[in-house]
Amino acid sequence: MEAGRILQIGIPWITWRSPPRLPNFPRYICASSIQRGSYKGPKPGRDWIADWVSKNDDAVRSMPIYVGGASLLAVLFNRAISGIAPVADASSSQSRADLLTLGLAVTNVLTGLVWLSIRPKSITPVEPQGVECQEIYSHLPESVVSEILWVWESLSAVTCCKSLVIVYDCQCIVQIGVAAKSLNIDEPFAVDAAKLMQGSLYQGVSKSGAQSYMANLSLYPGRSELPFLPSNTQAVILQPLGDRGIAVLGGDTIRGFTTSDQTWISYIGEKLDATLAKCMSSMPSVVQE
């Protein structure tokens, strides 16, 4: 009976609800709580041999000469004290071994001489020899002038460009940066726009319609067509502006213009071509002359 009554009593069901989830706040670890030397993970390796070779480049390049010279002296000394006739005898195994050793020693000496004669040339920027100038075509609208100045500031800040000359419709639009000195030391060398556009450099760029990059200007005979650039200009980019003009950029470092720089300059050339074409077409012909 008692058991039946207990079973008859209704037992209320209790619904258990999970507590609300708290937001995940970032946890900060105090740096002082981490003991020094407790990191057990992998550490970056270091090539001690490569570091030693780079610090002792001259000694490493000369090492084959010393090894070859020591080998030659050792062979001669061994030949002298061994009691063998100084004349090489093909039937003697000692003579054949000495000849082989002499050949290896001479090879070592020649290898050392080649290593000393061939050295990588360090490429460093140079200080352009010339005068600072900022000559801008006076009949340009203010908006075009501001765009050209923005182009110059961007190029001089991001790339190795130190000189910029823009010629459009046989008219020098801008000459800015470092220019070559004229006969009067205090004035920049004036750009002859008509002569530049008749030269082989402009004709080649105009026909191809593509950018021309002279990574080492001293190796190109056409540099004589760019007398307005500093005499020690290292690299030049010739960027065509449509079929009506050209932009000449002079750099202070051999191979200083990277591939991304060249691509960016080509886009800038397209923008300048559109701006100058619109500007020059709306300008009266009297002013253009």
Side-chain angles (χ1 to χ4, degrees):
M1 294 295 293
E2 295 296 332
R5 290 181 181 179
I6 293 175
L7 294 175
Q8 291 178 2
I9 298 174
I11 301 176
W13 292 96
I14 301 175
T15 304
W16 294 94
R17 297 182 180 179
S18 59
R21 299 181 62 183
L22 297 177
N24 294 325
F25 294 102
R27 294 182 296 175
Y28 300 93
I29 301 175
C30 183
S32 61
S33 63
I34 302 177
Q35 298 178 359
R36 294 183 179 179
S38 60
Y39 176 69
K40 302 299 182 181
K43 297 181 179 180
R46 186 175 180 180
D47 194 345
W48 298 98
I49 298 178
D51 292 343
W52 184 86
V53 170
S54 62
K55 293 178 181 179
N56 302 273
D57 183 70
D58 293 336
V60 173
R61 291 177 182 273
S62 305
M63 192 175 295
I65 297 179
Y66 297 125
V67 174
S71 301
L72 286 174
L73 294 177
V75 171
L76 295 177
F77 179 75
N78 180 65
R79 191 79 178 183
I81 66 175
S82 61
I84 303 176
V87 180
D89 186 6
S91 61
S92 174
S93 60
Q94 181 65 34
S95 298
R96 292 195 297 269
D98 291 342
L99 289 176
L100 180 60
T101 306
L102 287 174
L104 295 175
V106 172
T107 302
N108 278 333
V109 172
L110 294 178
T111 302
L113 294 176
V114 170
W115 284 6
L116 289 176
S117 61
I118 300 177
R119 292 175 178 270
K121 185 178 180 181
S122 59
I123 299 176
T124 56
V126 300
E127 187 68 25
Q129 299 175 358
V131 293
E132 292 284 344
C133 71
Q134 185 171 334
E135 303 289 339
I136 300 178
Y137 190 44
S138 58
H139 298 289
L140 292 177
E142 184 178 355
S143 59
V144 178
V145 173
S146 62
E147 181 175 339
I148 292 175
L149 292 178
W150 172 84
V151 169
W152 163 245
E153 292 175 358
S154 302
L155 290 173
S156 59
V158 178
T159 68
C160 67
C161 180
K162 299 299 179 183
S163 306
L164 174 63
V165 173
I166 298 177
V167 175
Y168 204 84
D169 284 347
C170 290
Q171 179 68 46
C172 181
I173 301 299
V174 63
Q175 183 182 11
I176 192 170
V178 184
K181 296 180 181 179
S182 63
L183 297 178
N184 187 357
I185 299 178
D186 296 332
E187 295 183 0
F189 193 95
V191 179
D192 190 346
K195 185 177 180 180
L196 176 63
M197 300 189 75
Q198 293 173 359
S200 60
L201 291 180
Y202 173 78
Q203 295 298 327
V205 172
S206 179
K207 289 180 180 179
S208 64
Q211 181 187 95
S212 176
Y213 179 33
M214 294 182 282
N216 191 353
L217 185 60
S218 60
L219 302 179
Y220 292 85
R223 68 185 309 272
S224 59
E225 300 181 18
L226 308 172
F228 46 83
L229 293 178
S231 58
N232 61 340
T233 300
Q234 302 297 301
V236 167
I237 286 183
L238 303 176
Q239 176 61 45
L241 305 179
D243 55 354
R244 300 170 60 181
I246 188 174
V248 182
L249 295 84
D252 62 348
T253 308
I254 296 176
R255 294 187 293 275
F257 292 100
T258 63
T259 305
S260 58
D261 293 340
Q262 299 172 46
T263 305
W264 182 48
I265 291 171
S266 64
Y267 289 136
I268 290 179
E270 295 177 0
K271 180 63 173 66
L272 287 176
D273 178 33
T275 301
L276 293 176
K278 182 179 179 180
C279 174
M280 301 299 279
S281 61
S282 61
M283 190 177 298
S285 58
V286 178
V287 175
Q288 295 184 31
E289 295 176 358

